[in-house]
Amino acid sequence: MPTDDTAAPGRVYITTPLYYVNAEPHLGSAYTIIICDMMARYYRQRGYDTFFLTGTDEHGDKIAQAAEAAGEEPQQYADRISAAFRDTWEQSGLTYDRFIRTTDADHVRTVREVLTRVHAAGDIYFGSYGGHYCTGCERFYTEKELTGGTCPDHRTVPEWIEEENYFFKMGKYQERLLAEIESRPDMIRPERYRNEVLAMLREPLEDLCISRPKSRLTWGIELPFDENFVTYVWFDALINYVTAVKELGEERFEALWPTANHFIAKDILKPHAIFWPTMLMAAGLPSYQHLNVHGYWTVDGAKMSKSLGNVVRPLDMRDRYGMDSFRYMLLRESVFGLDADFREEALITRVNADLANNVGNLVSRTLSMQQKYFQGEVQPRLDTRPEDAALEQAFADAARAVDVHIAGLMPSRALEAIWRAADHANKYIVETAPFTLAKDPASRPRVGTILHNLVEVLRAIAQLTLPFIPESADRIAAMLNLPDDGLRLPSAPWGDAFAAGHRVEKPTTLFPRIET
Ligand code: ME8
């Protein structure tokens, strides 16, 4: 990811969207944060200075209305749902560095500072406006953008609102933004979304209404230059990405900000690809490094919704199958950027085939033989036969493929590459047949060598899978009795990690087969 020239080497700043507190965590919000967690773990494992941000988006019409429907004050309501997000992510073992809330004092301060700066620079003016307002999207639509008079996302008829407001001169930055996106082909990825944004920028870009009169909405950040207005929720929320690193001090901000990698789904492409970079230009800040856009998940072919009763909750999945199984399924069964469909049967099939049968068996067979033939003591590697070299090569290839596919945002292909190597290792057991050789005392040294290669395989699997299925990788590392930093990279070369006398543990079941 941080591969292009604009990135400071060895650093990365990763963000999820700030989730609205009008719904509880579900499969969709979980997917984005799991991808981000996987990325953060991947870079941390390689010694990068990593900062990973998530949080909740709490102001605006939508939240005010949801609070009212729940019979609560907006702040009380936001506190409750924001805590539900935080609890869920904590119980899911996600490794973010900060959970930010748009109601946090430092964020409110930063939004007001940015507004003051942009206003002073002359990029905010007062005017009147009439437009079709969709509360679901928290934005105005032009006639042309509506489909049959309804919001293209929510299929509801927007409200016609005419009022005096403050506007950000977004149109002024249209040409500059177009030039930047054209000159940086990987700024917005995958390419289909870059093309969508370029198409948007071929139409005239209107200025952005960035306030709401308090007569209509009070739940927001008051404008620093007019106490009768609050800030439009997107102008507020997007700035969180700056707040979080600005709070770390000037030096850290300068280092991390240019490596910002935002992860979002396609539903919020326009605010991130157009509002946000133009806001940054007006505030005199460089743009982010990458906007990484993924597709939408459906469940059993249908849109997820409370009314359909098909909302998939991450903690239910964790309780039923374990967090790693859920993570594995999401990362393996989707192509980043494209829509995907979640089916519980597909999860079960994947877990049984890839986790229980393939890697689970490999771990248990290797460690059982190590116990049975050598009481857990790793033996010296006496020679390297062609089949041993081929095994080592299979894992070297997998490691390279993982790097290539993570840089290219293709986690499913990274996992495929690891599982190709695991298949190779299972075949190595069948072909070298240590269980047969062990019957002949003269072949004992060869059995020791084969098992040594296989514990190396387990170490490689734990290292390669750590970002994707971290609990399982840690459990493998514990069964191998690796030191605390035993999964960090770069690490001891193949053959050097297990000194004579090193003991490994008896296997425990990593992935129980799921019975249906
Ligand atoms: O838009 N499939 O918040 P939000 C995949 N507050 N991803 C999904 C999904 C699905 N079915 N449903 C949701 C907002 N997501 C704003 C963001 S950022 C400064 C402000 C994920 O709660 C996906 O990441 O509606 C999507 O972009 C995000 O949730 C929208 O979250």
Side-chain angles (χ1 to χ4, degrees):
M1 198 160 46
T3 44
D4 69 29
D5 302 339
T6 57
R11 286 197 186 88
V12 64
Y13 174 32
I14 295 171
T15 72
T16 75
L18 291 204
Y19 301 113
Y20 282 130
V21 288
N22 66 340
E24 307 224 352
H26 55 63
L27 169 67
S29 34
Y31 175 65
T32 320
I33 197 169
I34 286 172
I35 287 257
C36 290
D37 183 73
M38 182 274 286
M39 287 290 186
R41 287 177 188 268
Y42 174 88
Y43 285 105
R44 244 182 255 128
Q45 185 184 20
R46 284 154 183 78
Y48 277 64
D49 171 11
T50 307
F51 195 83
F52 169 17
L53 178 72
T54 191
T56 44
D57 188 355
E58 306 183 6
H59 291 126
D61 281 322
K62 191 167 25 197
I63 306 309
Q65 286 174 15
E68 197 179 332
E72 286 173 83
E73 284 304 312
Q75 183 68 58
Q76 180 193 11
Y77 172 80
D79 286 348
R80 183 165 64 80
I81 311 285
S82 179
F85 270 94
R86 205 178 175 139
D87 281 357
T88 299
W89 301 153
E90 265 164 33
Q91 290 187 56
S92 305
L94 298 162
T95 56
Y96 48 83
D97 295 290
R98 174 165 175 192
F99 185 100
I100 193 171
R101 302 180 56 185
T102 53
T103 48
D104 284 344
D106 62 345
H107 177 67
V108 172
R109 201 167 54 238
T110 308
V111 170
R112 290 168 62 89
E113 273 167 28
V114 170
L115 280 164
T116 304
R117 202 183 317 165
V118 177
H119 186 242
D123 277 350
I124 290 175
Y125 63 91
F126 193 63
S128 64
Y129 184 78
H132 302 275
Y133 194 74
C134 171
T135 311
C137 297
E138 293 274 22
R139 60 169 278 211
F140 284 103
Y141 277 95
T142 60
E143 203 78 50
K144 224 173 119 189
E145 287 175 313
L146 299 177
T147 40
T150 63
C151 160
D153 262 5
H154 294 89
R155 305 278 162 192
T156 48
V157 180
E159 194 184 348
W160 175 261
I161 289 184
E162 218 172 306
E163 62 194 13
E164 287 195 305
N165 265 313
Y166 286 88
F167 291 82
F168 163 52
K169 289 185 186 168
M170 192 158 74
K172 174 178 158 184
Y173 294 98
Q174 176 163 9
E175 290 308 315
R176 210 174 124 188
L177 178 60
L178 189 61
E180 177 159 18
I181 298 174
E182 277 177 341
S183 71
R184 290 175 50 205
D186 65 354
M187 176 177 167
I188 300 169
R189 321 184 285 185
E191 199 178 2
R192 54 195 295 142
Y193 298 109
R194 172 178 190 259
N195 291 338
E196 251 182 58
V197 174
L198 288 173
M200 289 178 208
L201 286 171
R202 273 180 213 115
E203 301 287 322
L205 188 58
E206 290 188 14
D207 289 345
L208 182 67
C209 176
I210 56 147
S211 65
R212 299 292 179 261
K214 279 199 184 157
S215 55
R216 180 156 76 79
L217 176 76
T218 53
W219 181 237
I221 300 176
E222 191 177 280
L223 292 183
F225 43 81
D226 191 335
E227 60 181 20
N228 297 312
F229 291 84
V230 294
T231 311
Y232 169 47
V233 65
W234 273 105
F235 204 96
D236 158 354
L238 286 162
I239 292 174
N240 91 86
Y241 300 134
V242 165
T243 306
V245 277
K246 208 166 126 299
E247 282 309 299
L248 304 174
E250 195 61 28
E251 202 178 314
R252 208 109 155 82
F253 177 79
E254 297 283 328
L256 281 170
W257 178 250
T259 71
N261 266 265
H262 302 312
F263 285 79
I264 60 165
K266 61 185 186 179
D267 57 332
I268 50 177
L269 180 61
K270 188 173 180 182
H272 282 82
I274 296 186
F275 302 177
W276 184 221
T278 55
M279 285 164 65
L280 287 166
M281 285 173 187
L285 289 169
S287 196
Y288 44 76
Q289 188 191 9
H290 294 298
L291 179 63
N292 306 299
V293 189
H294 64 75
Y296 240 55
W297 281 90
T298 48
V299 174
D300 297 321
K303 195 174 163 184
M304 216 177 1
S305 81
K306 259 192 189 158
S307 50
L308 283 179
N310 64 349
V311 176
V312 174
R313 289 182 190 79
L315 291 183
D316 291 348
M317 292 296 114
R318 182 204 61 169
D319 294 346
R320 225 169 285 166
Y321 307 111
M323 201 59 202
D324 276 2
S325 300
F326 182 54
R327 287 171 74 109
Y328 182 77
M329 148 81 193
L330 295 184
L331 298 170
R332 180 68 184 71
E333 291 272 316
S334 62
V335 175
F336 191 91
L338 302 184
D339 292 345
D341 189 40
F342 181 87
R343 285 181 305 115
E344 232 165 298
E345 307 89 83
L347 183 152
I348 293 171
T349 308
R350 273 281 165 214
V351 169
N352 284 344
D354 296 4
L355 300 183
N357 291 355
N358 188 332
V359 166
N361 259 337
L362 186 57
V363 172
S364 92
R365 285 162 91 188
T366 301
L367 296 182
S368 308
M369 287 191 281
Q370 193 70 64
Q371 277 302 323
K372 187 165 170 200
Y373 306 135
F374 302 103
Q375 293 74 51
E377 195 172 305
V378 180
Q379 303 298 298
R381 288 197 322 150
L382 295 178
D383 57 355
T384 303
R385 301 192 184 172
E387 57 271 32
D388 307 337
L391 179 69
E392 183 180 344
Q393 188 59 45
F395 279 89
D397 292 347
R400 232 186 330 272
V402 167
D403 291 341
V404 168
H405 295 314
I406 291 297
L409 277 187
M410 288 186 283
S412 56
R413 302 202 40 194
L415 287 167
E416 270 169 35
I418 303 172
W419 260 258
R420 252 195 316 276
D423 284 338
H424 189 123
N426 274 313
K427 286 201 191 93
Y428 174 86
I429 300 186
V430 174
E431 281 161 16
T432 57
F435 35 82
T436 311
L437 290 181
K439 293 177 186 148
D440 168 16
S443 297
R444 235 181 109 79
R446 176 63 188 153
V447 175
T449 299
I450 292 170
L451 291 179
H452 193 137
N453 288 327
L454 287 169
V455 292
E456 275 296 359
V457 160
L458 301 190
R459 181 172 72 108
I461 287 180
Q463 281 175 327
L464 293 173
T465 57
L466 176 75
F468 306 92
I469 47 171
E471 270 173 47
S472 313
D474 283 341
R475 285 186 57 203
I476 298 174
M479 288 188 236
L480 295 175
N481 276 324
L482 289 177
D484 283 350
D485 62 351
L487 298 184
R488 295 274 302 215
L489 291 168
S491 69
W494 186 279
D496 282 1
F498 302 97
H502 183 102
R503 272 185 194 280
V504 296
E505 301 293 322
K506 291 196 183 107
T508 51
T509 308
L510 262 188
F511 307 103
R513 264 191 76 83
I514 305 167
E515 304 302 335
T516 47

